[in-house]
Amino acid sequence: MFCLSEMEDTVRVPPDLLKLPLEVAIKKVLQKLLLNKVLSIGLCVTIYDIKSAEGGFVLPGDGPATYKVRFRIVVFRPFVGEVIAARFKESDSNGLRLTLGFFEDIYVPAPLIPRPNRCEPDPYNRSQMRWVWIFEEQEYIIDHSCQINFRVENISYPPVPTEQAEDAKPFAPMVITGTIDDDGLGPVSWWEGCSERNNEDDDT
Amino acid sequence: MKANAGTLTNFEVLDLLNSRGASNDTTRVIAPISTSEYTRLHVYDYLMETPACTQTQEIITNFSDQCKYFKLAKAEILNIINIRPSSTVNLAPILEEPSERGIDKKAKEGILKLVEALLPPPPIVEARGDNEEEETEEGEQS
């Protein structure tokens, strides 16, 4: 789910950081600019290294020193088809929302929840709907109780909205659509002790 | 700009964060975290509950080398390392069109044996959430 991205950017190091070793100062500026942000390459996690820094010119009328920096950054960007371990966050009539802790915009829409299923008001949480998979007359509830494995179907980077209604959900710059409709996906408790039974079916 | 200058296993990211003192980061208990720290610390927390926290570089390199025999895609090997499937059913969603590539039941069993032999079991994680249940090992009980 993580990869290295190599970037080049112009970095302005403010005068108060210039007393630090150059690499440390540049890293500090880059961290503030990039970390915890979603770029087109994914969610930035940490600066990996600085490959080169050129310049150091101070432009007229400007305090900071300007550097052209090549660096590598660790980003969270899963690949389509990747199976990822997540936790349940919430669910509604549209489907499930899962979380990794550091990333919470993972959605499993209703069509990607195994069928037959039903969606009903959650008896433990009146404001929520919960999903229940029905298989061989057994009911399998999807809730907080264990880790949920999903597979990445799609990653999108919605454009920043120019206007937002007051009660709209906070804007998510990166959205992962996942599926739990396959063997081995969904809550891990569904598959414990299952390997012998499924041996015959695993060539689908 | 090179969007993809190389994929990293969960272990490699955890190792990197550890080398930068993530495990010793007591400041988050004392003071509010800055936004740039937020992701890094939460990625660390996430990875510490995955099989990555029991892996080493040597284990991963060794496993990747041995996997060559099974003609798996690089992405599949990475996914197996990160998830550490312990049964055929856990392995199933990771492999793409296995029957079309000649990966039969025997090959799948071979892959699982390799996982069992070379990748340490994941940590024991307790269930979170509203209910009182506790989860035992996530891997299969052998």
Side-chain angles (χ1 to χ4, degrees):
Chain A
M1 8 187 246
F2 299 100
C3 43
L4 278 181
S5 284
E6 193 170 312
M7 296 178 66
E8 188 177 276
D9 203 359
T10 306
V11 172
R12 296 169 77 237
V13 180
D16 61 319
L17 291 184
L18 290 172
K19 60 181 184 288
L20 298 171
L22 183 62
E23 195 176 308
V24 175
I26 289 179
K27 261 197 189 152
K28 268 183 155 3
V29 176
L30 283 176
Q31 275 165 359
K32 214 168 161 189
L33 270 177
L34 297 173
L35 298 194
N36 197 42
K37 299 210 175 79
V38 171
L39 305 179
S40 57
I41 49 172
L43 172 66
C44 302
V45 177
T46 190
I47 309 294
Y48 186 72
D49 61 9
I50 311 281
K51 292 193 92 174
S52 65
E54 293 167 8
F57 307 112
V58 177
L59 298 172
D62 203 16
T66 303
Y67 294 88
K68 193 161 116 177
V69 182
R70 278 190 88 84
F71 59 97
R72 287 186 295 182
I73 185 165
V74 176
V75 291
F76 165 69
R77 187 180 75 241
F79 56 87
V80 172
E82 184 170 358
V83 174
I84 295 178
R87 290 274 172 184
F88 176 89
K89 184 171 168 72
E90 61 194 13
S91 56
D92 61 18
S93 49
N94 295 320
L96 311 173
R97 185 175 179 187
L98 306 179
T99 175
L100 303 180
F102 61 91
F103 184 82
E104 304 207 301
D105 295 306
I106 301 166
Y107 295 91
V108 181
L112 298 179
I113 297 175
R115 274 163 283 182
N117 59 49
R118 70 165 186 276
C119 184
E120 61 191 19
D122 186 346
Y124 299 102
N125 186 344
R126 287 283 150 205
S127 60
Q128 251 188 190
M129 302 293 283
R130 73 176 182 187
W131 288 83
V132 183
W133 178 40
I134 304 150
F135 179 67
E136 290 180 354
E137 292 170 27
Q138 294 269 7
E139 297 202 337
Y140 297 89
I141 299 170
I142 302 172
D143 63 9
H144 291 97
S145 58
C146 64
Q147 173 183 308
I148 296 179
N149 285 356
F150 74 94
R151 188 170 56 217
V152 177
E153 285 284 300
N154 178 248
I155 304 175
S156 62
Y157 300 88
V160 182
T162 43
E163 279 177 15
Q164 248 187 326
E166 267 178 36
D167 59 348
K169 283 204 300 209
F171 169 65
M174 177 171 158
V175 176
I176 295 177
T177 303
T179 179
I180 58 168
D181 188 10
D182 202 354
D183 283 350
L185 298 178
V188 292
S189 58
W190 289 1
W191 306 103
E192 272 158 18
C194 231
S195 51
E196 287 76 29
R197 250 199 290 148
N198 281 344
N199 267 345
E200 309 309 310
D201 308 333
D202 62 14
D203 283 311
T204 45
Chain B
M1 161 156 80
K2 243 199 276 179
N4 191 347
T7 45
L8 299 170
T9 56
N10 286 356
F11 161 75
E12 283 160 331
V13 177
L14 184 60
D15 195 37
L16 181 70
L17 297 178
N18 261 323
S19 69
R20 303 221 175 137
S23 57
N24 301 327
D25 217 318
T26 51
T27 53
R28 61 163 140 174
V29 175
I30 303 161
I33 318 167
S34 68
T35 42
S36 61
E37 297 285 294
Y38 179 91
T39 301
R40 191 172 64 87
L41 291 172
H42 281 75
V43 167
Y44 176 81
D45 287 345
Y46 171 83
L47 294 175
M48 284 301 289
E49 290 187 355
T50 65
C53 74
T54 53
Q55 293 168 352
T56 65
Q57 189 60 62
E58 205 186 317
I59 286 173
I60 286 176
T61 311
N62 190 18
F63 180 80
S64 306
D65 286 341
Q66 304 268 342
C67 267
K68 288 182 178 133
Y69 174 73
F70 295 105
K71 300 193 182 102
L72 295 173
K74 208 167 160 216
E76 288 170 331
I77 298 176
L78 182 99
N79 212 168
I80 291 170
I81 290 171
N82 286 347
I83 292 280
R84 197 203 181 260
S86 50
S87 66
T88 341
V89 78
N90 293 146
L91 180 62
I94 293 176
L95 302 177
E96 194 178 327
E97 309 284 350
S99 36
E100 285 177 27
R101 293 152 59 196
I103 299 175
D104 59 6
K105 187 170 150 190
K106 200 162 161 218
K108 289 178 199 174
E109 283 169 6
I111 294 167
L112 289 171
K113 279 204 174 74
L114 205 62
V115 169
E116 179 69 35
L118 297 183
L119 300 180
I124 296 168
V125 177
E126 285 176 11
R128 289 191 232 130
D130 300 344
N131 47 32
E132 306 286 310
E133 285 169 48
E134 277 197 2
E135 178 95 15
T136 50
E137 267 182 34
E138 287 179 341
E140 211 176 45
Q141 278 131 28
S142 44

